[in-house]
């Protein structure tokens, strides 16, 4: 079984080691999924632009196209990045060819599957969770909200004292709306 990290642990891991070949970014929080994907994109592509970047959507992509793209070598760079958003929408017949790829991924490609939730009963989902680094983007628990709001505010360059942090965390909003509340209170 591969490692499970949250987006902040991913950031720390990527500062110490090169990205791996397979990631599953999963969880209900859009903001956290976007943050994790942005981290991977920045580390892998750097200032090289989107030349070694390919994006697929699960409800539109063919499994063979994803596999073929992930099997290509990077051009003028160390790695390429292939992202599949809405991975939960990949039809089962399209994932069969991807299960083979998961068992022997190309080491110069980072293949990232992004989804709010995967069906754990499917062969593809099971293979992916066994082999990919799982980035857990679940909503912060109640006990983690104050620390989460503080960390997000700092990431945005905003310094908060304890009272605004408690106010924002106590609103019970979705994570991305909490960040908007932080900006509003400071604005």
């Amino acid at each position: 079984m591969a490692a499970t990290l949250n987006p902040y642990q991913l950031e720390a891991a990527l500062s110490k080691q090169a990205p791996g070949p397979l990631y599953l970014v999963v969880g209900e929080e859009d903001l956290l999924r976007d943050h994790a994907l942005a981290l991977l994109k920045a580390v892998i592509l750097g200032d090289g632009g989107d030349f070694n970047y390919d994006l697929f959507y699960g409800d539109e992509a063919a499994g063979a196209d994803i596999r073929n793209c992930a099997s290509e070598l990077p051009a003028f760079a160390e790695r390429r990045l292939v992202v599949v958003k809405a991975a939960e929408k990949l039809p089962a017949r399209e994932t069969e060819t991807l299960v083979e790829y998961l068992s022997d991924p190309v080491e110069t490609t980072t293949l990232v599957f992004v989804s709010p939730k995967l069906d754990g009963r499917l062969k593809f989902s099971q293979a992916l969770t066994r082999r990919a680094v799982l980035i857990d983007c679940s909503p912060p628990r109640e006990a983690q909200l104050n620390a989460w709001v503080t960390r997000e505010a700092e990431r945005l360059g905003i310094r908060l004292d304890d009272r605004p942090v408690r106010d924002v965390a106590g609103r019970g909003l979705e994570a991305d709306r909490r960040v908007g509340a932080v900006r509003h209170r400071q604005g």
Side-chain angles (χ1 to χ4, degrees):
M1 183 169 166
T4 298
L5 307 171
N6 66 40
Y8 304 103
Q9 292 167 327
L10 172 65
E11 188 170 10
L14 290 173
S15 71
K16 296 175 185 168
Q17 62 191 35
L22 295 171
Y23 289 88
L24 170 58
V25 179
V26 65
E28 299 85 31
E29 287 294 347
D30 293 341
L31 180 74
L32 295 177
R33 287 194 318 266
D34 292 346
H35 178 64
L37 190 53
L39 285 170
L40 287 165
K41 193 171 182 182
V43 167
I44 294 166
L45 300 177
D47 296 331
D50 290 345
F51 191 67
N52 285 298
Y53 175 69
D54 289 285
L55 174 64
F56 294 92
Y57 291 90
D59 56 347
E60 301 171 358
D65 291 342
I66 296 168
R67 184 201 62 227
N68 290 341
C69 189
S71 297
E72 293 176 9
L73 294 175
F76 308 109
E78 290 182 31
R79 298 191 76 73
R80 62 183 289 102
L81 175 63
V82 178
V83 175
V84 181
K85 290 187 173 182
E88 76 281 4
K89 295 181 180 178
L90 277 166
R93 69 182 176 281
E94 295 297 335
T95 63
E96 291 171 11
T97 187
L98 293 173
V99 171
E100 294 172 24
Y101 179 88
L102 296 177
S103 64
D104 188 23
V106 173
E107 287 298 320
T108 56
T109 296
T110 296
L111 178 56
V112 182
F113 293 91
V114 183
S115 175
K117 187 175 182 180
L118 287 179
D119 185 346
R121 300 171 297 177
L122 300 176
K123 183 178 177 181
F124 169 72
S125 299
Q126 292 170 2
L128 186 58
T129 55
R130 273 194 312 272
R131 293 185 176 92
V133 175
L134 190 139
I135 310 304
D136 182 8
C137 297
S138 299
R141 290 188 220 63
E142 195 70 34
Q144 300 169 320
L145 285 178
N146 287 352
W148 185 87
V149 169
T150 300
R151 189 169 39 238
E152 282 300 301
E154 287 172 358
R155 191 172 66 84
L156 296 169
I158 300 169
R159 183 164 160 70
L160 296 176
D161 62 25
D162 288 343
R163 185 167 177 258
V165 169
R166 284 191 309 272
D167 289 349
V168 172
R171 290 183 183 199
L173 303 173
E174 295 172 359
D176 52 346
R177 291 179 40 211
R178 285 188 187 103
V179 172
V182 167
R183 287 185 182 142
H184 178 72
R185 285 193 62 85
Q186 292 295 309

